[in-house]
Amino acid sequence: MHEIASTNLVDRFNRRIDYVRLSVTDRCDFRCTYCMAEDMTFLPRRQVLTLEELARIARVFVGLGVAKLRVTGGEPLVRRDVTALFQQLGQLEGLRELAVTTNGSQLTQYAPALRAAGVTSLNISLDTLDSQRFRALTRVGKLDQVLAGIEAARAQEFSRIRLNAVILRGSNEQDILPLLDYAVSRGLDIAFIEEMPLGQVNLAGKPLEFVASDSILQTISEHHDLQMESAPEHGGPARYWRVDNGPSRLGLISPHSNNFCASCNRLRVTAEGQLLLCLGNEHAISLRDLLRDGASDEELGGAIRKALNDKPEQHVFAQPDQPQIMRFMNASGG
Ligand code: SAM
Ligand code: SF4
């Protein structure tokens, strides 16, 4: 019995951590305006965790009681040989959900291999259905490639596919309803995410303009019947509504207007192996340094448990007068 209590990750605020987001690369084939600078310098390869190190970290977390892993990036599917990593993760005993967040550009190639490796769910980013606006938002992406990727994913039996859209004032507000209709007509979920100010991404050095979730909700509710789901999915930051009594759900992720820290159940590991305790704070420890200094699995687990003591009660970027955390989203994994 004592064994069970000591293998679960619980922080000072009694939050049980059962979800880890693992960034497998900081690189990407897109340059979304809200995520990256146009001219990015990426990490030297030796600073990035190897696939073996990533698999080991995942194994240690699952051994500590983590039941859900999300592989993200940068764009996870541009990492060479990433399928081998998914195959290892898919076999971890105790893991209930293996998820991927992707921009969809490589899914025509990878969707079958991901499913075969045991990936259970996908989040696919899609901010507009207009090819010109898509090009403007991603700077280099091709909409057709992503739409084909979504179809390739639908052809596999993932338990859940959710589209993710970041809506920016003066940029893609007109896409809210077409994106929702696109998702609903395919039985997919869709989440609208408020932009978070994580990196200096425009010339003026200010975050771009986010559109508040409540205003998105208002727009959608004028055209669709929305039933709020009572229990938000195990402490996740999204609030969900069933759309028109069908299979699709609308999710709203609102770091500005809805503080979800009290139910935070997650940790993040960056591509460099930094364990981030909170997206909106700088607290971190280097799992890579521990690994490369020869730490055993037990020592790694002990360091993770100790680091949990530093998990802050809440993030700080919701308050406009606080200093912003200058970390690009592709580095922290979103
Ligand atoms: N490349 C993959 C993708 O785009 O889905 C995975 C990594 S990306 C950093 C993960 C998610 O973070 C995407 O849905 C993206 O739209 C979102 N994102 C990136 N920058 C953001 C920001 N500043 N605010 C809110 N969401 C952001
Ligand atoms: Fe790449 Fe995803 Fe960031 Fe866009 S949001 S630049 S696709 S990592």
Side-chain angles (χ1 to χ4, degrees), residues 99-125:
V100 182
T101 302
T102 171
N103 65 21
S105 69
Q106 313 293 316
L107 277 176
T108 49
Q109 183 186 344
Y110 281 105
L114 293 179
R115 187 66 200 107
V119 171
T120 49
S121 61
L122 293 181
N123 284 358
I124 307 174
S125 299

Side-chain angles (χ1 to χ4, degrees), residues 21 28 34-35 72-76 101-103 123-125 127 164 166 193-198 329-330 333-334:
R21 301 172 67 106
C28 187
Y34 49 75
C35 177
T72 178
E75 174 47 41
T101 302
T102 171
N103 65 21
N123 284 358
I124 307 174
S125 299
D127 299 330
N164 278 349
V166 176
I193 307 172
E194 284 178 359
E195 187 216 14
M196 289 179 268
L198 294 190
M329 202 67 164
N330 69 307

Side-chain angles (χ1 to χ4, degrees), residues 21-32 34-36 40-43 48 54 70-80 82 86 99-106 123-125 164 198 268-272 276 279 327-334:
R21 301 172 67 106
L22 205 53
S23 173
V24 299
T25 179
D26 63 328
R27 289 164 199 254
C28 187
D29 51 346
F30 291 1
R31 294 286 182 279
C32 303
Y34 49 75
C35 177
M36 290 193 184
M40 290 290 287
T41 308
F42 293 108
L43 293 166
V48 174
L54 283 161
R70 175 174 300 284
V71 173
T72 178
E75 174 47 41
L77 302 184
V78 301
R79 171 99 195 231
R80 192 183 312 161
V82 76
F86 285 112
V100 182
T101 302
T102 171
N103 65 21
S105 69
Q106 313 293 316
N123 284 358
I124 307 174
S125 299
N164 278 349
L198 294 190
R268 295 176 165 80
V269 179
T270 69
E272 275 186 292
L276 301 185
L279 192 55
R327 197 195 289 125
F328 283 108
M329 202 67 164
N330 69 307
S332 62

Side-chain angles (χ1 to χ4, degrees), residues 49 53 56-57 286-295 300:
L49 293 174
E53 288 170 335
R56 188 157 162 227
I57 288 174
S286 174
L287 298 179
R288 184 195 64 199
D289 290 353
L290 289 169
L291 278 174
R292 294 185 186 174
D293 285 346
L300 269 182

Side-chain angles (χ1 to χ4, degrees), residues 125-154:
S125 299
L126 181 67
D127 299 330
T128 175
L129 291 164
D130 177 277
S131 55
Q132 280 176 4
R133 280 198 293 282
F134 188 85
R135 170 59 66 117
L137 275 163
T138 61
R139 294 201 182 98
V140 289
K142 291 200 178 79
L143 176 65
D144 287 350
Q145 206 177 330
V146 172
L147 297 182
I150 293 172
E151 294 311 317
R154 289 180 64 217

Side-chain angles (χ1 to χ4, degrees), residues 258-279:
N258 175 40
N259 189 298
F260 45 73
C261 301
S263 59
C264 179
N265 64 343
R266 63 199 55 201
L267 296 174
R268 295 176 165 80
V269 179
T270 69
E272 275 186 292
Q274 290 282 109
L275 173 65
L276 301 185
L277 299 155
C278 169
L279 192 55

